[in-house]
Amino acid sequence: MSSSREKAASSRVLNFLCEWDRGNKSTRTRMLQKFLQENTGKTSPELELEFAQASSLFLTRITAWMRLTYMFGTCLHLQLKALGVFLSAASNYRYLMEFLEVGGVMTLLEIISQTQSSEEEKAEALHLLCVVSNAGRKYKEIICESYGVKAVAECLVKSDSEETQHTASCLLESLAHGNPTYHRQVYTGLISLLTHSAPTTTQLILHTLHTVQAVVKTADPAIVEPLLNSLRSFHLEVQYEAIELIKYLQQTEVRDVLLNALIALLKPTNPGVHKHKILQDPAMAKMNGSLPLFIQQAAAAKALRMLAVESRETSGELIRLGVTHHLLYAMGNQEHADAQRQASLTLEHFVHSYPVVEEHVCRAMGRALFHSFKHNAELLYMNMDEVQADILLNNKVDLSREFQEQNTNS
């Protein structure tokens, strides 16, 4: 027979549940607030003790109320926080299973997808999905089977909240780790996001993509174009993340495509830039439309320098692919000073590393300009006249065959 203490506890819990069942929005809000104050951080055994081994009855009630009212935002943030007490509790296996069995994952995905949900509510729902995902592979698969990757990715790019974006990226990383059935879906989803994201979001996507790429291992050729397009960003943080990913990818299957594409960016073409209608001056419109291409040109030169410095094998490969000719061209293009500066610094590395490159570059520049280059490569663009720039633009340096023969003989 139950002790008087157990009977009292059971009676208290029964009264609590009856109050919930009879209560209106105001009553339930007060009850949830009190529940959070008294139970946040408790373990599963502690919650069971608090609810006389009937905590699941309260979990079920919270979940049911949320599923009925989430579209109207009724106490949604409080409901999500209360669910978090159960789902985040140590030894939470039973709570997780009960939550999943009543369609909890689908409800959370719908919350992050609906426009009426606040950023605070979306962040909390994403946090709960992270808890589910981190519980193991089968839980990750449940989220993915519920079209979770698409919903989380869309939430990431549409949100303007740093917390929501960060939590969404953490969830995508979690879904990729230890989930071989669906990790490539996460990977390709992140690649697709690169084409239409704000700068701060792009930075986060690139960082997440770098992490997921290490999980997936095999690189998708589709990553090259949007990745290199991100080099057009005016934001140095975006360029940094893009170059870090480029450095990783040059060790993968897309290495050759990536190196060739980077070199090609040193001679930018302007495929119909978008001109701002408010700019009436055609020359000004052209300058503004072309600027991202020149920023991309400068970033490509910087990336090539980093790749060459890190690996002599890559450095030699770049010379065979004609990087010297393209760098000289970029140095002569006086439309963007930073592109000239970055190209000059990159060429300086090759000149210092390979005598054959130094010989051909000296011949292409002429002794006077080459002397200035050797003296201060970084500021060469400031001491160059139009005739010298034109010589660089029309240089005919091709070291590929000679460099190949030299390395074969050695």
Side-chain angles (χ1 to χ4, degrees), residues 65-103:
W65 190 37
M66 182 183 72
R67 294 187 68 198
L68 288 171
T69 61
Y70 74 88
M71 294 187 68
F72 312 106
T74 305
C75 304
L76 181 55
H77 187 250
L78 265 180
Q79 293 168 346
L80 292 167
K81 294 284 285 185
L83 287 173
V85 172
F86 288 101
L87 300 184
S88 300
S91 307
N92 64 347
Y93 175 77
R94 198 180 91 194
Y95 297 145
L96 271 174
M97 293 308 299
E98 290 171 354
F99 182 70
L100 296 178
E101 286 169 1
V102 297

Side-chain angles (χ1 to χ4, degrees), residues 175-192:
L175 291 174
H177 283 282
N179 188 15
T181 306
Y182 290 100
H183 65 199
R184 197 152 193 94
Q185 183 184 111
V186 177
Y187 174 60
T188 55
L190 285 166
I191 293 174
S192 69

Side-chain angles (χ1 to χ4, degrees), residues 119-276:
E119 291 297 331
E120 190 179 38
E121 291 162 351
K122 289 180 181 180
E124 196 61 42
L126 287 165
H127 171 70
L128 294 183
L129 286 167
C130 283
V131 172
V132 175
S133 177
N134 292 336
R137 176 175 172 177
K138 70 176 181 179
Y139 301 100
K140 300 176 194 287
E141 291 179 345
I142 290 171
I143 295 173
C144 293
E145 288 164 2
S146 305
Y147 304 98
V149 174
K150 181 175 183 292
V152 176
E154 288 180 352
C155 181
L156 172 59
V157 295
K158 290 179 180 178
S159 172
D160 55 4
S161 162
E162 185 176 332
E163 182 185 3
T164 303
Q165 292 175 344
H166 178 73
T167 311
S169 70
C170 288
L171 176 54
L172 290 172
E173 282 189 27
S174 175
L175 291 174
H177 283 282
N179 188 15
T181 306
Y182 290 100
H183 65 199
R184 197 152 193 94
Q185 183 184 111
V186 177
Y187 174 60
T188 55
L190 285 166
I191 293 174
S192 69
L193 297 183
L194 285 176
T195 58
H196 50 268
S197 300
T200 52
T201 312
T202 301
Q203 177 191 357
L204 188 57
I205 292 168
L206 286 167
H207 182 81
T208 308
L209 189 53
H210 192 166
T211 304
V212 173
Q213 179 67 72
V215 174
V216 175
K217 303 262 191 279
T218 305
D220 189 331
I223 195 176
V224 175
E225 184 177 355
L227 174 59
L228 296 186
N229 283 339
S230 67
L231 292 176
R232 298 182 183 187
S233 174
F234 291 75
H235 297 259
L236 294 178
E237 298 88 349
V238 174
Q239 289 195 14
Y240 170 81
E241 292 293 349
I243 291 174
E244 287 299 303
L245 182 52
I246 286 169
K247 287 160 65 176
Y248 182 89
L249 287 172
Q250 66 94 23
Q251 306 170 41
T252 68
E253 300 80 2
V254 298
R255 168 190 169 88
D256 292 343
V257 175
L258 188 61
L259 294 181
N260 277 290
L262 278 170
I263 292 173
L265 292 179
L266 297 174
K267 297 179 75 170
T269 55
N270 197 341
V273 296
H274 299 288
K275 297 179 173 63
H276 299 284

